[in-house]
Amino acid sequence: PSSELTRHVARWLRLCDAQPAFAQAKATAAKAPAASGGGERGSGCPPLEGAVDGKVVTRFPPEPSGYLHIGHAKAVLLNDYYAKRYNGKLLVRFDDTNPSKEKGEYAANILRDLETLGIDVEKKKEAGGYVTMSHTSDHFDHLMKVAQKMIKAGHAFMDDTPQETMKAERETRTNSKHRDAAADVNLAKFKELCAGKADDWCLRAKIDMTSDNGTLRDPVMFRGNKDEHHRTGMKYQAYPTYDFACPVVDSLEGVTHALRTTEYNDRDAQYAWIQNALKLRPVKIHAFARINFVRTLMSKRKLAWLVDQKAVEGWDDPRFPTIQGVVRRGVSVESLQEFIIGQGASRNVVNLEWDSFWAINKAAYEPHALRLMAIEKQGMCELELTNVPQYDDEGVHAIIAPRVPKDPSLGERPVRVS
């Protein structure tokens, strides 16, 4: 009978509830919606692996080589969302490892864009809030020491193989002629590189040239660069690559979860290898798909070319997908936040149409946008019409209508008629 079946199922469920593992799982699941503000916000953002409430540290590492665009907004807001969800910290760290492309102007405008998105780094840093800021350049000296440690351990070597030859050797999985050089020889040459005396050389990790994963075929970790750095000036003559600096500094600065787009999937193994080789605290990686809009140019290099060629007004041109561009075009920041979090942290890459975003944007303005009518002053002329109905209100031919149809409290306006 169905009643007997129900009784047995109820007994089974009570037995499950009594198990410690079930109780812990229920408690963890109950925390997530409450921390995210309830409702549907963040419903597409899965829990972070191994996350502990109050101890999560996420990071957003922009390179100051251009202004933030709507693609960066997803990374910013997801990192911010998870930091808040777990009552943790958000670290904004400028990845300033390439002085040839970076400018102080870009760094200043990135801070401005973050403030637009609701993340005021300076204020929250001063107030002891959940947002902090750093620069990879803060750790250049430490990264040089770490590189020397890897050389001494036999995990890195110096190489002067030309770039095209290096690329060909990677494709054919051929070892560099310098791969088995002695540690003391590599160490001496590395010091020359850092002193600006070995411009044609670079430091490479010694991982596995036979790997099916191309990012593990002895990647470059340090290279020479004599351009002036926008923060450190001419103090350094060689700089770490992003792929080397990121896993080291993430671990050093206490990051617990590194959110990276799926285009970095192959590099995740390299990230883990560097931390393991240096015996660093491991950082968990959480992948999400980048945001793509059809018929939209998102490459900072190509956007910079348009700016340099003066084909547009600047990085805030309303035709640009930059944060400043879309805000100037009329985007509501609240709508942008809702749209990004609504996309969630899925790994599925989707090409989005702007129509779906503009629908959300319109809904944000609908309740409070005043309805006004106007004509261009230039080229206007007056006409006197004598055969139309008259709606005379103190000498003004108009119909009185609410400023906002759904909110009479915002007042009324005259609609001129003819």
Side-chain angles (χ1 to χ4, degrees):
S2 59
S3 59
E4 185 176 353
L5 177 62
T6 302
R7 182 165 55 85
H8 289 308
V9 170
R11 287 177 58 195
W12 171 251
L13 292 176
R14 285 196 297 272
L15 176 63
C16 290
D17 280 341
Q19 305 304 309
F22 276 80
Q24 184 179 359
K26 287 174 66 177
T28 301
K31 283 182 180 179
S36 65
E40 297 181 359
R41 180 176 171 82
S43 58
C45 300
L48 295 177
E49 180 188 354
V52 178
D53 192 69
K55 295 185 178 181
V56 168
V57 179
T58 62
R59 84 327 186 230
F60 172 62
E63 181 185 15
S65 59
Y67 290 36
L68 296 187
H69 57 58
I70 195 167
H72 296 117
K74 180 173 184 178
V76 174
L77 294 174
L78 283 178
N79 276 284
D80 184 58
Y81 165 79
Y82 277 116
K84 291 177 178 176
R85 172 171 172 169
Y86 290 102
N87 301 305
K89 300 283 187 181
L90 167 63
L91 170 65
V92 175
R93 182 177 69 238
F94 284 97
D95 172 45
D96 51 349
T97 56
N98 187 352
S100 299
K101 298 194 301 179
E102 298 156 3
K103 298 179 183 178
E105 170 204 347
Y106 295 146
N109 277 279
I110 286 173
L111 290 176
R112 174 184 170 185
D113 293 339
L114 289 173
E115 184 178 354
T116 298
L117 293 171
I119 304 169
D120 192 330
V121 177
E122 293 298 331
K123 286 184 179 179
K124 290 180 179 177
K125 183 176 65 172
E126 293 171 5
Y130 74 98
V131 181
T132 57
M133 183 177 72
S134 70
H135 298 77
T136 301
S137 56
D138 298 336
H139 306 285
F140 280 168
D141 290 330
H142 176 75
L143 288 165
M144 287 181 179
K145 292 178 182 178
V146 168
Q148 292 181 44
K149 180 180 178 181
M150 292 189 71
I151 293 173
K152 293 175 183 177
H155 294 315
F157 65 97
M158 292 294 293
D159 194 11
D160 66 346
T161 302
Q163 187 173 357
E164 289 302 317
T165 304
M166 189 184 295
K167 180 180 178 182
E169 288 180 347
R170 282 203 177 105
E171 290 175 351
T172 59
R173 309 188 186 199
T174 304
N175 288 343
S176 165
K177 60 185 178 182
H178 297 293
R179 196 174 197 269
D180 297 320
D184 57 340
V185 174
N186 286 320
L187 195 59
K189 188 60 69 174
F190 179 71
K191 291 179 179 178
E192 288 182 19
L193 174 69
C194 294
K197 299 177 181 178
D199 296 342
D200 295 332
W201 292 74
C202 66
L203 181 68
R204 296 176 64 181
K206 189 188 293 186
I207 307 180
D208 183 6
M209 284 295 285
T210 65
S211 174
D212 290 335
N213 184 339
T215 69
L216 297 180
R217 297 175 197 162
D218 297 359
V220 175
M221 299 195 302
F222 254 91
R223 57 167 57 96
N225 191 324
K226 293 187 177 180
D227 290 340
E228 183 175 359
H229 191 280
H230 71 279
R231 289 190 77 234
T232 61
M234 300 301 295
K235 180 179 178 180
Y236 301 99
Q237 305 295 305
Y239 295 89
T241 61
Y242 172 82
D243 286 339
F244 173 57
C246 192
V248 175
V249 180
D250 276 354
S251 183
L252 182 66
E253 294 189 328
V255 174
T256 61
H257 294 79
L259 274 66
R260 289 154 65 103
T261 54
T262 51
E263 62 192 296
Y264 283 94
N265 281 353
D266 287 346
R267 282 179 159 77
D268 291 348
Q270 182 191 110
Y271 183 101
W273 184 90
I274 291 173
Q275 291 187 340
N276 183 60
L278 291 168
K279 296 180 173 57
L280 299 174
R281 176 187 59 82
V283 177
K284 294 185 183 299
I285 293 176
H286 185 89
F288 66 93
R290 63 182 293 175
I291 190 169
N292 292 322
F293 281 96
V294 296
R295 298 181 295 279
T296 303
L297 190 64
M298 302 284 264
S299 166
K300 280 198 295 184
R301 179 178 57 82
K302 294 178 180 178
L303 293 174
W305 184 86
L306 290 172
V307 174
D308 293 341
Q309 296 298 313
K310 301 190 184 305
V312 293
E313 295 180 22
W315 287 90
D316 64 345
D317 191 290
R319 294 167 292 182
F320 264 25
T322 56
I323 302 300
Q324 294 184 29
V326 296
V327 168
R328 187 178 170 196
R329 189 174 174 182
V331 166
S332 157
V333 175
E334 293 76 13
S335 300
L336 184 58
Q337 293 171 337
E338 179 184 345
F339 181 77
I340 295 295
I341 298 301
Q343 297 300 311
S346 168
R347 295 170 183 253
N348 298 323
V349 179
V350 179
N351 291 319
L352 302 170
E353 293 281 354
W354 279 99
D355 292 350
S356 58
F357 172 70
W358 291 123
I360 295 175
N361 195 60
K362 180 180 178 182
Y365 283 114
E366 183 72 24
H368 55 78
L370 303 181
R371 274 59 170 178
L372 302 170
M373 295 180 65
I375 62 171
E376 291 188 13
K377 185 175 182 180
Q378 184 178 1
M380 75 172 189
C381 63
E382 293 186 8
L383 296 175
E384 183 178 350
L385 304 177
T386 59
N387 60 340
V388 295
Q390 300 298 301
Y391 301 90
D392 197 349
D393 180 23
E394 298 182 356
V396 176
H397 297 295
I399 296 175
I400 304 303
R403 290 182 180 273
V404 178
K406 296 181 180 179
D407 190 354
S409 67
L410 293 176
E412 299 178 324
R413 64 188 176 100
V415 181
R416 295 178 181 271
V417 295
S418 63

